[in-house]
């Protein structure tokens, strides 16, 4: 699963692509009910930190979509959501893997629509845990974090900042504008820039507590990089939805449907096992309310201010 999406990415090759050529105004392929399909569609993917072979696996998906839809598909790895959103708004990319925040912005700026999301009954639940040292008797709940030194990951991280901050605001009635200020609720706030840094920082008592995605805890325990007695979990966030593919809303309706059908018919178990931790996952059309609860949480912490 693409859980690191909220951190943003560096659209490798996309910036050069935008500078070198534009899709707007390209010749039609003649396909589609009205003969108005473009000669190619462009998809922006996300590099997978957990699987360095993901570009190869995405190639399988790209080739499948091209075969099913019947037009060329070009693919770009990586980058800044802001760049991707602007590129979609200008018609230079058509499909993009998006977090709730980037979907919200793309919907406002580019008329983006939700397309498909990977789903399966056995996809591991994704959420963030609040942790402290295993022998810290003073901290047993998130209420006990008051006056303590706390670590977030990065201000652009969903699991390492937005969701844990939202949980603190909602459950403890805190002012989202003041949480990072020393002496308001926490004694001090640190941004560690990675979940492993936050996890080991707690284990080594560099700070009292941190927000760490549950999957990172599991990985380090399985790798024996962490003693289970070193930490204890004192709370958690709500479940965090997986990233969804979004599509430009101004594309021909029959082409949007053909692209959706191509994603849905993709059944490569190796791909889903590697990227979504289960061979049983498949792409399903994304419901309109898929990000509704997340958008409400982002509104609670004023994360959407200026996003329109």
């Amino acid at each position: 699963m693409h859980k690191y999406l909220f951190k943003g990415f560096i659209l490798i090759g996309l910036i050069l692509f935008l500078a070198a050529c534009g899709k707007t105004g390209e010749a039609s392929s003649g396909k589609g009910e009205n003969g108005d399909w473009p000669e190619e569609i462009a998809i922006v993917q996300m590099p997978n930190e957990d699987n360095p072979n993901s570009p190869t696996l995405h190639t399988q998906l790209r080739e499948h979509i091209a075969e099913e839809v019947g037009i060329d598909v070009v693919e770009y790895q990586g980058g800044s959501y802001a760049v991707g959103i602007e590129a979609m708004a200008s018609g230079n990319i058509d499909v993009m893997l998006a977090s709730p925040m980037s979907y919200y912005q793309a919907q406002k700026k580019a008329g983006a629509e939700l397309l498909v999301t990977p789903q399966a009954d056995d996809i591991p639940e994704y959420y963030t845990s609040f942790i402290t040292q295993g022998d810290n008797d003073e901290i047993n709940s998130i209420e006990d974090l008051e006056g303590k030194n706390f670590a977030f990951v990065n201000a652009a991280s969903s699991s390492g900042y937005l969701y844990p901050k939202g949980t603190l605001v909602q459950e403890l009635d805190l002012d989202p504008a003041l949480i990072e200020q020393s002496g308001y609720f926490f004694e001090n706030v640190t941004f560690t820039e990675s979940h492993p840094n936050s996890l080991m920082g707690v284990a080594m008592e560099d700070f009292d507590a941190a927000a760490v995605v549950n999957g990172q805890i599991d990985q380090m325990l399985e790798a024996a990089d962490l003693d289970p007695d070193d930490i204890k979990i004192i709370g958690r966030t709500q479940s965090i939805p997986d990233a969804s593919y979004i599509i430009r809303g101004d594309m021909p309706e029959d082409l949007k449907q053909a692209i959706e059908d191509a994603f849905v018919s993709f059944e490569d178990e190796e791909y889903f096992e590697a990227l979504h931790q289960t061979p049983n996952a498949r792409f399903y059309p994304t419901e309109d309310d898929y990000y509704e609860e997340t958008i409400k949480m982002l509104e609670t912490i004023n994360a959407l201010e200026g996003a329109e």
Side-chain angles (χ1 to χ4, degrees):
M1 299 173 73
H2 301 275
K3 304 309 188 268
Y4 40 81
L5 280 170
F6 287 91
K7 294 181 180 178
F9 57 110
I10 304 172
L11 294 172
I12 301 170
L14 179 57
I15 296 175
L16 294 177
F17 162 72
L18 295 178
C21 63
K23 291 177 79 278
T24 303
E26 282 185 354
S28 167
S29 70
K31 297 180 181 294
E33 294 178 0
N34 300 313
D36 55 355
W37 287 14
E39 292 185 343
E40 67 179 25
I41 58 174
I43 298 177
V44 174
Q45 292 287 7
M46 175 63 63
N48 188 322
E49 294 172 346
D50 297 325
N51 192 320
N53 296 319
S54 60
T56 300
L57 295 170
H58 282 312
T59 296
Q60 298 168 14
L61 174 61
R62 184 190 74 231
E63 292 175 348
H64 172 83
I65 294 172
E67 181 178 355
E68 292 295 308
V69 176
I71 59 178
D72 291 338
V73 178
V74 294
E75 180 181 274
Y76 301 93
Q77 292 291 326
S80 153
Y81 280 129
V83 173
I85 292 164
E86 292 300 329
M88 180 171 281
S90 62
N92 287 305
I93 63 170
D94 306 300
V95 178
M96 173 179 168
L97 193 59
S99 68
M101 174 75 82
S102 55
Y103 162 66
Y104 178 88
Q105 294 172 321
Q107 194 275 328
K108 297 295 182 183
K109 292 186 176 182
E113 299 173 0
L114 293 166
L115 185 63
V116 295
T117 309
Q119 300 177 34
D121 290 339
D122 56 347
I123 286 182
E125 186 182 10
Y126 178 55
Y127 59 89
T128 297
S129 295
F130 293 90
I131 65 169
T132 187
Q133 292 84 22
D135 60 357
N136 191 329
D137 296 330
E138 294 184 359
I139 303 177
N140 298 293
S141 67
I142 61 172
E143 288 84 357
D144 296 334
L145 294 173
E146 185 172 6
K148 302 301 190 293
N149 295 314
F150 188 80
F152 290 112
V153 170
N154 181 288
S157 170
S158 61
S159 55
Y161 177 69
L162 295 173
Y163 269 80
K165 179 175 179 176
T167 299
L168 293 167
V169 168
Q170 292 173 331
E171 295 190 13
L172 303 181
D173 194 26
L174 301 177
D175 185 336
L178 300 177
I179 283 183
E180 292 84 11
Q181 292 188 13
S182 298
Y184 168 66
F185 179 72
F186 297 115
E187 177 65 23
N188 289 292
V189 169
T190 299
F191 287 90
T192 67
E193 300 303 323
S194 79
H195 289 281
N197 287 346
S198 292
L199 186 54
M200 295 310 298
V202 169
M204 298 176 67
E205 301 185 4
D206 292 336
F207 26 80
D208 300 312
V212 178
V213 68
N214 64 306
Q216 186 65 60
I217 298 173
D218 293 340
Q219 288 178 22
M220 294 188 74
L221 289 173
E222 290 174 6
D225 293 330
L226 183 71
D227 188 317
D229 293 331
D230 287 343
I231 64 166
K232 67 178 176 180
I233 296 172
I234 59 168
R236 56 160 287 180
T237 67
Q238 62 182 267
S239 295
I240 303 174
D242 201 354
S244 178
Y245 283 96
I246 62 175
I247 191 168
R248 283 198 298 120
D250 62 353
M251 296 179 71
E253 291 299 322
D254 55 343
L255 176 56
K256 288 191 286 187
Q257 186 62 56
I259 294 171
E260 177 185 294
D261 292 344
F263 271 98
V264 170
S265 66
F266 185 63
E267 298 183 340
D268 191 306
E269 293 188 354
E270 179 188 7
Y271 173 94
F272 289 107
E273 173 69 32
L275 298 185
H276 303 288
Q277 289 79 61
T278 172
N280 300 317
R282 295 293 184 272
F283 291 114
Y284 290 89
T286 309
E287 300 293 334
D288 290 340
D289 62 353
Y290 180 65
Y291 285 142
E292 183 175 327
E293 291 304 313
T294 303
I295 296 300
K296 289 180 181 178
M297 186 273 292
L298 294 173
E299 290 173 341
T300 297
I301 61 175
N302 302 323
L304 301 178
E305 288 187 354
E308 299 185 19

